[in-house]
Amino acid sequence: MESLANCFSNLETPIIHIGDSVNGLPIKGFKLGSGTRKVLMWSQMHGNESTTTKAVWDLVNFLSQDKELGKTILANCTLIIVPILNPDGAKLYTRENSNEIDLNRDAKNLTQPESIAFRKLFESFAPDFCFNLHDQRTLFSAGNNDKPATVSFLSPASNKERHITPTRETAMKLIVAMNNMLQNEIPGQVGRYDDGFNDNCIGDTLQMLGVPTILFESGHYPRDYEREKTREYIFKAMVEALKIIAHDKIETYKTGDYFSIPGNKKLFFDVLIKHPELVNSEFEAGHSVGIRYKEVLKEQKIIFKPEIAEIGPLEGYFGHETIECIDIKDFGFTSNQKDILNLLLNFNK
Ligand SMILES: [Zn+2]
């Protein structure tokens, strides 16, 4: 990673070896800045979620430039960034680690070396803020609207009653600040993740331990399955949060505004097909077909394999793309959508 050396040339960046994965790959973090406000962030706890990993490199790039805001952040904050917490999963493109354990369900039990390494880092660094960085599936809408949840946030619960504790409130206020900024860029495309409590999830555990923790979820942006646009919004959101922390402005935001962010709903299909009965009479008239892509690693490349997820009236659902099937010649499918057309043609055959 050549650019990394360039990134670090302006920064004093001790690389920290925080532990090893099940398969013996090193888990590394790096430390930036010298301020009193400590921020710990980690990405790819789920191996197949790399958008936020790219965004943290963008953040490092930004901080290494000689810009006023970057200097202010580094003077007021100390950051530890773990870009890939689950290197085995990253290599195999799996959510779980090599023992097939979801590390985000291992925060209490600490059965995996990755979980133990992270907990040791957390305890020795004693952060004031945590950023828990993930990707979410394309199915999420921001509320009941036909807008994808391009970015979602959560201030996780710290008990099953989901009380609004001061720790949660701090995280909520930072989310409000990021949402305010993002509404100018992607209006209506920010969602709020479900706050059901699970003390084996890392965010819930850290919040329970009294450290304001924010879940960042990178989601879908129209026609951007590589998530390069989302990467940019996550980067901007992280800079905004660090700016507010560095300037000590958290208290200027209101907890109540957090709840006006629409909740994530599962209303999107990758492709919504209307009138499928015109393609194949096995489908009932009045029904639609919802297609979702499954990400498959093939020869070191990610391919998006379409699968039929649901068949029915599908009212109130949306497609990132919608095909009406009324075009007599090719039903409206493009040459890139032959796999989808074949799925429909072969249905019940
Ligand atoms: Zn995740």
Side-chain angles (χ1 to χ4, degrees), residues 45-46 49 95 104 133-135 217:
M45 161 177 250
H46 291 144
E49 299 176 359
R95 176 181 176 90
N104 203 20
L133 303 164
H134 291 257
D135 271 86
E217 293 279 0

Side-chain angles (χ1 to χ4, degrees), residues 289-303:
V289 175
I291 299 280
R292 290 209 174 99
Y293 293 125
K294 188 178 177 195
E295 289 183 43
V296 186
L297 184 64
K298 199 177 174 190
E299 290 157 6
Q300 298 302 310
K301 275 197 161 164
I302 310 301
I303 55 165

Side-chain angles (χ1 to χ4, degrees), residues 56-89:
V56 298
W57 293 130
D58 297 337
L59 176 66
V60 172
N61 255 321
F62 171 79
L63 294 173
S64 70
Q65 293 159 13
D66 202 20
K67 285 191 177 152
E68 210 48 53
L69 178 55
K71 284 196 277 189
T72 305
I73 289 170
L74 293 175
N76 289 291
C77 303
T78 301
L79 315 178
I80 289 186
I81 302 175
V82 181
I84 302 180
L85 184 57
N86 175 6
D88 294 344

Side-chain angles (χ1 to χ4, degrees), residues 61 84 111 116 119 154 165 184-185 216 218 228 260 283:
N61 255 321
I84 302 180
T111 63
I116 295 166
R119 179 57 78 88
L154 172 68
T165 62
N184 295 320
E185 305 253 352
F216 291 68
S218 313
E228 286 297 308
S260 64
F283 291 106

Side-chain angles (χ1 to χ4, degrees), residues 276-283 308 311 331 341-349:
E277 76 279 7
L278 299 177
V279 176
N280 178 342
S281 59
E282 290 291 316
F283 291 106
I308 294 180
I311 302 169
F331 302 111
L341 180 58
N342 284 332
L343 268 180
L344 300 187
L345 289 169
N346 292 324
F347 177 71
N348 268 357
K349 295 212 167 136

